[in-house]
Amino acid sequence: MSDLPALPEAALAAYLQAHVDGFRGPLTASKFKGGQSNPTYLIDAASGQYVLRRKPPGRLLASAHAVDREFRVLEALCGGRSIIPVARPLHLCTDDAVIGSMFYLMEFVPGRIFWDPSLPELEAPQRAAYYHAAIDALVALARLDVDAVGLADYGKPGNYFARQVARWTEQYRAAETESLYAMEQLISWLPQNVPDDDGRIALVHGDFRIDNLMWSRGEPRLLAIVDWELSTLGHPYADLAYFCMALRLPRNPILPGLGGVDRAALGIPSETALIERFTAATQLDPQRHWNFLLAFQFFRLAAIAQGVLKRALQGNASSERALQAGAMARTIAELGAALAH
């Protein structure tokens, strides 16, 4: 797998200076770790620090790596338009000639990121407050008036889960490198068990997990939710199930989960407690459909992992650990298939 080429710093600085108010070069660009999908860079410039998100170069799956959709969501949510915390977007560049692919620039949020959902940097009595704050952010997303923030047309109408099962089946097929029995089970079971559409529409983040949340240093206050690439209009249960999925993922260095861990000893709330907090605030109770919701999210994550593997084999994945992450597709799919009953 080849590494991404360095950003053309002089040309980028000249472009940003011409298009972003107050921006002054020269600049240096340093790629953040992680980011299996859209490479993300810290931009150190004479005028301050910024963050740049770009599409990866090379052949890509259709509709993937939608940095322009990310930019639109950030614009909709920032500046007091909502209580959803996001970094302020500054400029979207759709001209591939500048750095080799579409990108956008946003403000740098000097927050704290926890890469491991066990929150090893904290003491046991502190951890529950962070999980509660994450659930409270999901409550805010569930309550967001998408019409009022200009996102009424951000997703397609109809049953969200039915659409998503079909979409991720297509994405998986496009990235398939070998036959996975568990994925075939899920591809058969999920469409037959989609919950009836209750008409609820919410902004769905699509990748709501602990390492996409930026916190104030020293307190459980959320400063920004990042990585909106997979966002769309959907059902508020989707992000909740995805977030809780981490409680069941196995411990591993690539996609760290909390499966098999004594979460009570760590001070991390139980899955039931997290669901009940969400339900108490929204009056929405996902428990009747919980097996489907989790099975769907395992299926979706396995399809994403398979896409990462395909890009790694093609040489244009954005992380040096992409091959290892892609190899997790089988394990993730098997966890989903175990819930398909």
Side-chain angles (χ1 to χ4, degrees):
M1 182 185 65
S2 58
D3 291 330
L4 284 169
L7 294 182
E9 293 177 348
L12 178 60
Y15 175 88
L16 293 175
Q17 204 157 287
H19 291 86
V20 178
D21 288 346
F23 188 96
R24 288 184 296 107
L27 67 79
T28 58
S30 309
K31 186 177 177 299
F32 287 106
K33 76 171 187 174
Q36 297 288 356
S37 185
N38 291 329
T40 306
Y41 301 81
L42 174 64
I43 303 297
D44 276 298
S47 52
Q49 291 185 309
Y50 309 82
V51 173
L52 183 149
R53 291 263 291 174
R54 68 176 295 185
K55 277 192 174 186
R59 293 171 53 203
L60 304 173
L61 292 176
S63 80
H65 315 284
V67 296
D68 49 339
R69 283 177 64 84
E70 286 189 52
F71 188 83
R72 180 182 172 187
V73 168
L74 296 180
E75 279 196 314
L77 297 180
C78 77
R81 298 183 186 93
S82 78
I83 63 168
I84 313 297
V86 293
R88 184 167 60 95
L90 301 173
H91 179 72
L92 173 68
C93 174
T94 58
D95 182 358
D96 290 353
V98 178
I99 66 168
S101 61
M102 185 189 301
F103 72 89
Y104 70 89
L105 192 76
M106 59 183 158
E107 70 175 353
F108 172 75
V109 177
R112 182 182 193 183
I113 294 179
F114 299 104
W115 296 100
D116 185 328
S118 69
L119 308 182
E121 303 90 341
L122 302 176
E123 300 298 324
Q126 301 174 298
R127 293 183 180 121
Y130 286 82
Y131 271 81
H132 289 160
I135 294 297
D136 294 346
L138 290 178
V139 169
L141 275 172
R143 290 174 171 169
L144 179 71
D145 184 338
V146 294
D147 291 7
V149 297
L151 293 174
D153 63 344
Y154 191 63
K156 296 178 181 178
N159 188 307
Y160 167 76
F161 291 110
R163 294 198 320 271
Q164 286 283 297
V165 168
R167 180 201 172 189
W168 287 104
T169 298
E170 290 176 5
Q171 296 282 58
Y172 171 72
R173 292 297 188 211
E176 194 173 8
T177 54
E178 62 175 319
S179 180
L180 299 179
Y181 178 65
M183 285 297 275
E184 300 306 324
Q185 286 181 291
L186 288 165
I187 287 169
S188 173
W189 184 85
L190 287 168
Q192 300 175 35
N193 290 274
V194 173
D196 292 337
D197 186 8
D198 63 5
R200 293 193 177 275
I201 297 174
L203 176 61
V204 174
H205 178 272
D207 198 11
F208 194 93
R209 61 190 193 197
I210 208 75
D211 56 313
N212 279 332
L213 307 178
M214 298 195 68
W215 303 91
S216 174
R217 298 188 185 277
E219 61 176 330
R221 182 167 60 88
L222 195 53
L223 296 182
I225 304 170
V226 303
D227 193 356
W228 291 84
E229 183 209 343
L230 295 173
S231 61
T232 188
L233 296 187
H235 200 283
Y237 291 164
D239 280 338
L240 177 67
Y242 187 85
F243 183 71
C244 288
M245 184 174 59
L247 305 179
R248 298 173 181 237
L249 280 172
R251 295 294 293 166
N252 69 91
I254 305 301
L255 297 169
L258 296 173
V261 172
D262 186 346
R263 297 193 300 274
L266 289 176
I268 293 172
S270 68
E271 183 176 275
T272 299
L274 294 176
I275 295 170
E276 288 176 349
R277 185 179 183 90
F278 178 87
T279 296
T282 63
Q283 303 306 304
L284 300 172
D285 187 357
Q287 295 191 73
R288 185 161 64 96
H289 304 299
W290 196 240
N291 263 28
F292 171 88
L293 295 168
L294 283 176
F296 163 70
Q297 292 296 7
F298 278 117
F299 165 72
R300 180 173 168 274
L301 184 59
I304 292 170
Q306 185 65 38
V308 170
L309 176 60
K310 180 82 167 197
R311 291 197 306 278
L313 295 173
Q314 291 174 339
N316 63 349
S318 70
S319 168
E320 61 188 19
R321 300 195 298 173
L323 277 169
Q324 295 168 280
M328 288 290 294
R330 182 187 300 274
T331 298
I332 297 166
E334 288 172 351
L335 289 167
L339 291 159
H341 56 78

